[in-house]
């Protein structure tokens, strides 16, 4: 695509782009709804990405062309407003707004944008677009690119300009992913550790339920509030806690009666999920992929029963995966309410698994299932040629 993106750029704007940048989407292996609770997550960057071919302009205008939406938008660098005709442009606009706020002066730019991260599927196309935009703008304007700071800036763009109160996971993995490695992130202090995933032994297979993530924004914000309420109530008994990250499983057991039922369930998920992430990293580092799979199964059950962010199609996909040979673990991935499941599958079983689950899902729901066998890609970077 980078060659054809280059020729699309020439057709649209004449001449060559200064750079072509790609930033990956992600799949979270385990650690769901933990990032905004100061907890742990364990995602991979995948070989599905957003690409931007771009060139600096001599004036202060921005000309963007979206290949996917077959549309153009033009706006000045100093009047960044949401445009309901072009909601896709909110992502680079949000990043530009944050870069400007951080004291950088931005020139105008021309760009052609293409992505193959499925939209609304929970694979973080938005974060990929933000991170690709930040990297492109850094190159064009000669701003030093610090990966962690850029991830934070992109999260602010999403929180403030786009208006979604997401945590840090998606932008962080898109900026810092590493080929053939999963990334353990401590979302409190943003320290991180790469853990190799042996692609000769196990594959990560994503199944896209085809059900768009309805309700995700309002329900996501409700979950955040319930977690905060839990911290407040628990802090009466466990002084000094700032987030659910600070609550151990033992403390939770002892003090859970202080919580109303719904809040109790939400908190139980987060407290247990944090421990599962650490156990999963430990398992993978010891080559115990069966254990890793069992932890993924437990994560799904907890997201379904306690955090209540699953839905029938996702539960069905997980059940079908369990009935298939060579599947070590399966769970919903991302915020929930639709989107995708992630499956850890023994390499030699992948083909049969994909065939069986596609057929069974179609029979039960009438829906056609998209599956992706993911390669673990590096984080954001420039493409040659
Ligand atoms: C979305 C958010 C992330 C994270 C997940 C749930 O993907 O963008 O920050 O909260 O949901 O784990």
């Amino acid at each position: 695509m980078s060659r054809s993106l280059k020729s699309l750029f020439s057709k649209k704007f004449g001449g060559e782009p200064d750079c072509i940048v790609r930033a990956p989407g992600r799949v979270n292996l385990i650690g769901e709804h933990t990032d905004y609770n100061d907890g742990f997550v364990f995602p991979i960057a995948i070989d599905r990405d957003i690409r931007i071919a771009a060139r600096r302009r001599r004036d202060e205008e921005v000309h963007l062309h979206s290949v996917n939406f077959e549309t153009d938008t033009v706006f000045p660098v100093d009047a960044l407003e949401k445009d309901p005709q072009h909601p896709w442009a909110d992502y680079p606009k949000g990043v530009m707004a944050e870069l400007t706020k951080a004291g950088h002066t931005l020139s105008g730019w021309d760009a052609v944008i293409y992505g193959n991260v499925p939209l609304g599927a929970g694979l973080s196309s938005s974060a990929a677009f933000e991170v690709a935009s930040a990297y492109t703008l850094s190159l064009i304007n000669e701003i030093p690119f610090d990966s962690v700071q850029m991830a934070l800036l992109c999260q602010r763009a999403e929180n403030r300009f786009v208006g979604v109160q997401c945590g840090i996971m998606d932008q962080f993995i898109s900026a810092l992913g590493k080929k053939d490695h999963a990334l353990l992130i401590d979302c409190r202090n943003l320290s991180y550790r790469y853990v190799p995933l042996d692609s000769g032994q196990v594959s990560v297979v994503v199944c896209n339920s085809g059900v768009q993530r309805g309700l995700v924004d309002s329900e996501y914000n409700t979950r955040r509030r319930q977690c905060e309420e839990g911290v407040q109530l628990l802090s009466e008994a466990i002084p000094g806690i700032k987030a659910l990250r600070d609550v151990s499983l033992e403390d939770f057991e002892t003090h859970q009666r202080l919580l109303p039922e719904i809040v109790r369930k939400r908190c139980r998920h987060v407290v247990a999920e944090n421990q599962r992430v650490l156990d999963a990293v430990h398992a993978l580092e010891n080559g115990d992929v069966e254990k890793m799979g069992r932890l993924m199964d437990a994560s799904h059950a907890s997201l379904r029963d306690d955090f209540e962010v699953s839905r029938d199609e996702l539960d069905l996909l997980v059940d079908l995966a369990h009935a298939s040979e060579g599947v070590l673990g399966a769970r919903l991935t991302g915020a929930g309410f639709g989107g995708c499941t992630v499956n850890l599958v023994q390499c030699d079983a992948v083909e049969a698994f994909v065939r069986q689950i596609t057929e069974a899902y179609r029979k039960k729901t009438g829906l056609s299932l998209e599956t992706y066998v993911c390669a673990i890609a590096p984080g954001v970077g420039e493409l040659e040629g």
Side-chain angles (χ1 to χ4, degrees), residues 26 28 31-36 41 124 166-171 213 220 334-335:
R26 67 97 188 90
N28 190 18
E32 222 63 83
H33 291 276
T34 44
D35 61 352
Y36 54 83
V41 292
S124 290
C166 64
I168 186 62
M169 168 168 66
D170 307 342
Q171 290 80 8
R213 299 171 307 151
Y220 188 88

Side-chain angles (χ1 to χ4, degrees), residues 8 102 114 128 190 231 236 273 284 339 379-380 383:
L8 279 175
Y114 169 77
L190 300 185
V231 174
E236 287 165 23
E273 184 81 349
L284 215 53
V380 67
L383 283 171

